[in-house]
């Protein structure tokens, strides 16, 4: 049963209870800055450094995998994938949002939104474009334009991010468990964060999980992550099953317990890593 639920993680076959290994921190890659913009009740979040993928010939296939997944969604809201530096997608409590940073031609974005039957509005002094009634259902019905940041999603998702950014509402980093995990997680090309129960990870005592990937060399990604548990016994009980599963997928797996946390690291061939960047 444990292996079945582990295999249902958002990384496909990648266990999300991997933990920090090596130097680095989330803030160095921009992950922490993005987590400070999303609401505290976010339940699942994925981060992609699209610019880093795009600018590295060794990562071309990973960029193509990400682009194929998001291109139609971004294009439908006036955003060119080639202008995106950082991409974040999150859900939780009825909210859905995508944050993208980059250098955008806002006049072009506005023109595209107008052509696609969005109309200009405002929320908390932020320019927000909303899908006009009668032009079909759109999961991402709202688009907020904030200079080098564009937020698209449903109304609840977009407005909640604006309230975090503009009004100081609680962010992901405001919750202790969330911050404990993300602050231990190295940044890099990719990160996936989730609260327990969201991805069918039914391990007893699990609170929050995180996983990240960064380039190690021209052929390899370094995989790292962290899982926080309610108590040390829960972490200890989960260790063997997680290590067994990781051994099926990765090379040079190392895993250990540090108090409430399970810590591990592994390696993944870049040729086998496209699934991380699909489905975001």
């Amino acid at each position: 049963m444990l292996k079945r639920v582990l295999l249902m993680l958002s990384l496909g076959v990648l266990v999300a209870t991997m933990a920090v290994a090596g130097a680095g921190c989330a803030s160095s890659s921009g992950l922490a800055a993005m987590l400070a913009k999303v609401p505290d009740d976010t339940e699942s979040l994925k981060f992609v450094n699209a610019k880093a993928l795009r600018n590295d010939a060794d990562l071309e296939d990973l960029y193509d995998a990400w682009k194929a997944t998001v291109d139609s969604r971004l294009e439908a809201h006036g955003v060119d994938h080639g202008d995106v530096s950082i991409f974040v997608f999150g859900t939780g409590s009825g909210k859905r949002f995508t944050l993208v940073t980059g250098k955008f031609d806002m006049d072009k974005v506005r023109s595209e939104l107008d052509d696609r039957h969005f109309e200009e509005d405002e929320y908390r002094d932020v320019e927000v474009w909303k899908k006009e009634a009668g032009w079909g259902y759109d999961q991402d019905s709202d688009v907020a334009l904030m200079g080098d940041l564009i937020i698209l999603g449903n109304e609840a998702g977009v407005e909640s991010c604006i309230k975090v950014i503009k009004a100081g509402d609680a962010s992901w980093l405001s919750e202790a468990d969330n911050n404990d995990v993300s602050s231990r997680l190295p940044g890099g090309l990719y990160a996936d964060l989730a609260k327990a129960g969201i991805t069918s990870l039914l391990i007893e005592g699990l609170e929050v999980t995180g996983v990240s990937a960064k380039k190690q060399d021209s052929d390899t990604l370094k995989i790292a992550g962290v899982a926080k548990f309610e108590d040390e016994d829960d972490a200890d009980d989960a260790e063997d099953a997680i290590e067994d599963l990781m051994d099926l997928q990765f090379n040079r797996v190392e895993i250990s317990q540090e108090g409430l946390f399970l810590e591990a690291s592994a390696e993944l061939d870049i040729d086998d890593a496209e699934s991380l960047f699909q489905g975001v």
Side-chain angles (χ1 to χ4, degrees):
M1 178 63 178
L2 180 59
K3 287 189 177 182
R4 182 180 68 81
V5 296
L6 281 167
L7 288 167
M8 294 173 67
L9 286 173
S10 57
L11 294 181
V13 294
L14 177 63
V15 60
T17 46
M18 295 178 298
V20 65
C25 63
S27 58
S28 65
S29 69
L31 175 58
M34 300 307 290
L35 294 177
K37 301 180 191 301
V38 305
D40 61 342
D41 58 359
T42 299
E43 297 169 344
S44 177
L45 181 142
K46 291 188 178 182
F47 165 99
V48 175
N49 189 330
K51 184 177 181 179
L53 296 178
R54 186 167 55 244
N55 291 342
D56 191 327
D58 294 331
L59 306 175
E60 180 179 1
D61 289 344
L62 303 186
Y63 180 69
D64 288 344
W66 170 79
K67 181 175 66 175
T69 298
V70 305
D71 197 25
S72 61
R73 187 198 323 171
L74 296 178
E75 183 181 349
H77 298 85
V79 180
D80 186 334
H81 66 262
D83 295 332
V84 174
S85 296
I86 299 295
F87 173 96
V88 170
F89 174 67
T91 59
S93 302
K95 301 167 184 175
R96 169 190 170 96
F97 53 82
T98 299
L99 288 76
V100 291
T101 67
K103 295 183 178 180
F104 305 107
D105 183 338
M106 286 301 184
D107 289 337
K108 182 179 178 181
V109 172
R110 292 183 182 99
S111 178
E112 288 287 336
L113 289 170
D114 186 59
D115 289 345
R116 295 175 183 275
H117 308 290
F118 286 77
E119 58 183 359
E120 186 177 352
D121 202 344
E122 183 180 284
Y123 180 75
R124 292 184 180 254
D125 297 324
V126 173
E127 179 183 351
V128 178
W129 289 70
K130 294 179 175 290
K131 189 75 170 185
E132 296 177 14
W135 287 100
Y137 173 72
D138 191 330
Q139 289 190 91
D140 300 317
S141 59
D142 289 35
V143 183
L145 306 183
M146 304 179 70
D148 61 357
L149 171 67
I150 295 177
I151 308 170
L152 57 101
N154 63 11
E155 182 178 76
V158 171
E159 290 185 355
S160 66
C161 291
I162 291 174
K163 286 189 287 187
V164 171
I165 296 167
K166 299 286 286 187
D169 279 16
S171 75
W172 169 277
L173 298 176
S174 301
E175 288 198 4
D177 289 337
N178 296 347
N179 193 39
D180 285 346
V181 169
S182 58
S183 65
R184 288 171 171 254
L185 191 67
L189 303 171
Y190 170 91
D192 188 346
L193 293 157
K195 295 180 180 178
I198 302 308
T199 53
S200 300
L201 187 60
L202 304 179
I203 296 177
E204 184 176 356
L206 182 63
E207 296 284 2
V208 181
T209 64
V211 64
S212 70
K214 61 182 179 180
K215 183 178 178 182
Q216 178 165 285
D217 55 43
S218 61
D219 300 312
T220 312
L221 296 183
K222 186 69 173 180
I223 304 298
V226 57
K228 184 178 181 181
F229 291 81
E230 289 182 2
D231 60 52
E232 296 184 15
D233 288 341
D234 290 334
D236 182 62
D237 291 343
E239 182 174 344
D240 288 344
I242 291 172
E243 184 168 13
D244 288 345
L245 186 61
M246 290 181 66
D247 280 334
L248 297 175
Q249 303 298 329
F250 306 108
N251 299 318
R252 296 183 175 86
V253 174
E254 297 181 2
I255 186 166
S256 62
Q257 181 181 353
E258 181 184 337
L260 301 177
F261 300 90
L262 281 183
E263 303 182 355
S265 66
E267 295 178 2
L268 178 64
D269 290 344
I270 290 175
D271 289 343
D272 298 327
E274 291 185 15
S275 62
L276 281 97
F277 300 89
Q278 296 168 336
V280 293

